[in-house]
Amino acid sequence: MTDWSKQTKAVHTGIRRSQYGEVSEAIFLTQGFVYDTAEAAEARFLQSGPDEFIYARYGNPTVAMFEDRIAAIEGAEDAFATASGMAAVNGALMSMLKAGDHVVSARALFGSCLYILEEILPRFGVEVTFVDGTDLSAWEAAIRPDTKAVFFESLSNPALEVIDIAAVSDLAHAHGAMVIVDNVFATPVFSNAIAQGADVVVYSATKHIDGQGRALGGVILGTTDYIRKTVEPYLKHTGAAMSPFTAWMLLKGLETMSLRVRAQAATARTLAEALASRTRTIYPGLPDHPQHALTMTQMGSGGTVLSIDVGSKETAFRTLNALKIFTISNNLGDAKSIVTHPATTTHQRLPDEQKDALGITPGLIRISCGLEDAGDLLADLQSALT
Ligand SMILES: *Cc1c(COP(=O)(O)O)cnc(C)c1O
């Protein structure tokens, strides 16, 4: 089974069939589990043996199927599913940190990730140093002997900077720091983050894993030791559990994820190549991207998202409003192509200087490619830009 490719694992790994032998994974919509005797209840709470479920906040068979499957795809020993991507980011960090610890983080982050590192962790006495994630000498200067963890998005939102997982991991491990990677934009399809040195990978499953805009979900992946001794106690007592119904949708999402994500990435490349001659286009799959070579060795693809800069907020709004196929929203990885104006939505909270530093210019439009025909999408964009 470990020899299987990601795609085979995405269809078969983790199945726990009930006595009925169902083909499609069952949804165990149950909060708890019954015990035949008081002795059996006592034994269950000792957690002896596999599949010893107690309470859905701790674990559930459908959720466990999702955890086993995504862990196999990612090449991680173990996984813990959460109610959202942010619950995963928060759980990965909070479960391992305490007052007095030091964290180094890349500056270019999703708005809510930035809120946790900038606002919440310092309130609990955790010191956070922010660096330009693409600058290895900045990481080297910031990581100290007391640094407990480093955190970054391997492909940042929305500026699409690519961070060298292997090189940053080497620097962090030299000081015994854990490497936590938010890998949403890279997707599990193109990720080799654990093999490249990351200790922990987090996903918002809301994005490409569901890929159809139906549910919020998240997952933390890492060693069995980290997941069971650090993450599980924190999450099972603080309650950000994934719903079994969501886990079922995400299991089905995983089966088609590779097909969807590869098609979306092919479309992103087509759009980026066509738009580059007409407007500033940021796509890691284009040779003019500053980390193009790293992108190709790290991910083998430029991903499913591109950004364009049309110069001003007015032009950006006019472009968004003129689009007929693209939906104005803030999800990504969906079957429906989505356009976002980060400066006024996902990153609105940031002061202008910080937006400038992160490349979130007034004219920046983030484009998440869906599953529509690439020719139709390009025609829609060309006409809206005109
Ligand atoms: C969306 C996103 C998250 C948060 O995920 P939710 O499921 O919305 O909570 C975290 N990190 C990145 C990079 C994201 O794009």
Side-chain angles (χ1 to χ4, degrees):
M1 232 171 74
T2 48
D3 299 342
W4 289 354
S5 77
K6 282 191 185 191
Q7 181 51 32
T8 305
K9 289 174 181 166
V11 177
H12 287 286
T13 303
I15 294 177
R16 292 161 193 250
R17 288 212 163 88
S18 78
Q19 69 274 32
Y20 299 114
E22 64 281 353
V23 173
S24 175
E25 295 76 358
I27 312 176
F28 291 93
L29 272 180
T30 179
Q31 138 286 327
F33 304 85
V34 296
Y35 320 104
D36 289 339
T37 61
E39 288 77 9
E42 183 184 37
R44 194 80 64 92
F45 272 75
L46 281 170
Q47 295 197 335
S48 50
D51 291 5
E52 302 280 83
F53 296 103
I54 294 173
Y55 195 66
R57 175 152 44 76
Y58 298 12
N60 168 287
T62 314
V63 177
M65 287 192 252
F66 169 70
E67 291 167 336
D68 290 350
R69 187 168 294 179
I70 183 75
I73 294 169
E74 192 65 31
E77 283 177 17
D78 212 340
F80 202 97
T82 55
S84 69
M86 286 323 302
V89 172
N90 184 67
L93 288 162
M94 288 293 265
S95 66
M96 64 164 295
L97 295 171
K98 61 177 186 328
D101 285 343
H102 178 242
V103 173
V104 183
S105 171
R107 197 175 281 131
L109 297 178
F110 177 67
S112 298
C113 294
L114 193 60
Y115 186 82
I116 291 178
L117 285 140
E118 223 178 13
E119 307 286 337
I120 300 180
L121 292 181
R123 252 193 260 156
F124 292 86
V126 175
E127 187 194 344
V128 183
T129 306
F130 289 96
V131 297
D132 171 354
T134 61
D135 180 355
L136 285 177
S137 61
W139 286 104
E140 191 164 17
I143 299 169
R144 317 189 300 227
D146 65 334
T147 302
K148 196 71 182 291
V150 307
F151 181 85
F152 58 92
E153 290 171 15
S154 58
L155 179 51
S156 76
N157 173 21
L160 305 175
E161 291 178 356
V162 183
I163 295 181
D164 189 334
I165 297 173
V168 174
S169 298
D170 282 348
L171 293 171
H173 292 157
H175 291 288
M178 292 265 277
V179 178
I180 304 175
V181 179
D182 179 334
N183 223 10
V184 167
F185 278 60
T187 81
V189 175
F190 297 130
S191 167
N192 299 295
I194 300 243
Q196 286 157 350
D199 300 295
V200 179
V201 174
V202 292
Y203 285 106
S204 162
T206 316
K207 313 294 167 54
H208 305 82
I209 295 176
D210 174 34
Q212 286 149 89
R214 302 167 293 192
L216 281 175
V219 66
I220 307 173
L221 299 129
T223 62
T224 302
D225 197 59
Y226 166 74
I227 295 294
R228 294 303 144 200
K229 295 194 182 138
T230 303
V231 171
E232 182 188 299
Y234 178 83
L235 280 165
K236 81 181 187 184
H237 295 301
T238 52
M242 176 180 281
S243 145
F245 187 74
T246 296
W248 175 79
M249 279 193 283
L250 298 177
L251 275 161
K252 296 286 119 189
L254 287 177
E255 292 181 346
T256 59
M257 175 177 63
S258 172
L259 297 172
R260 288 184 283 104
V261 165
R262 287 178 197 284
Q264 289 167 309
T267 296
R269 192 186 166 88
T270 302
L271 298 188
E273 281 170 351
L275 294 175
S277 58
R278 125 163 241 176
T279 183
R280 195 165 91 81
T281 303
I282 307 166
Y283 182 62
L286 288 182
D288 72 347
H289 186 280
Q291 292 98 37
H292 175 68
L294 170 64
T295 305
M296 297 324 280
T297 50
Q298 187 161 290
M299 289 169 51
S301 164
T304 67
V305 177
L306 66 147
S307 292
I308 56 173
D309 192 335
V310 295
S312 68
K313 176 183 163 184
E314 289 66 36
T315 311
F317 274 30
R318 238 187 301 124
T319 307
L320 258 57
N321 292 338
L323 287 164
K324 299 216 161 40
I325 301 174
F326 288 85
T327 313
I328 303 173
S329 187
N330 36 328
N331 192 14
L332 61 104
D334 197 278
K336 294 181 172 59
S337 289
I338 289 172
V339 283
T340 311
H341 185 246
T344 53
T345 59
T346 51
H347 292 71
Q348 187 189 80
R349 188 181 70 80
L350 302 184
D352 286 345
E353 322 78 81
Q354 205 170 349
K355 281 183 194 151
D356 285 348
L358 297 178
I360 303 164
T361 48
L364 193 76
I365 300 174
R366 187 183 82 188
I367 302 172
S368 165
C369 297
L371 294 174
E372 305 91 336
D373 177 73
D376 289 346
L377 292 174
L378 183 58
D380 195 25
L381 273 168
Q382 298 281 28
S383 137
L385 286 166
T386 305

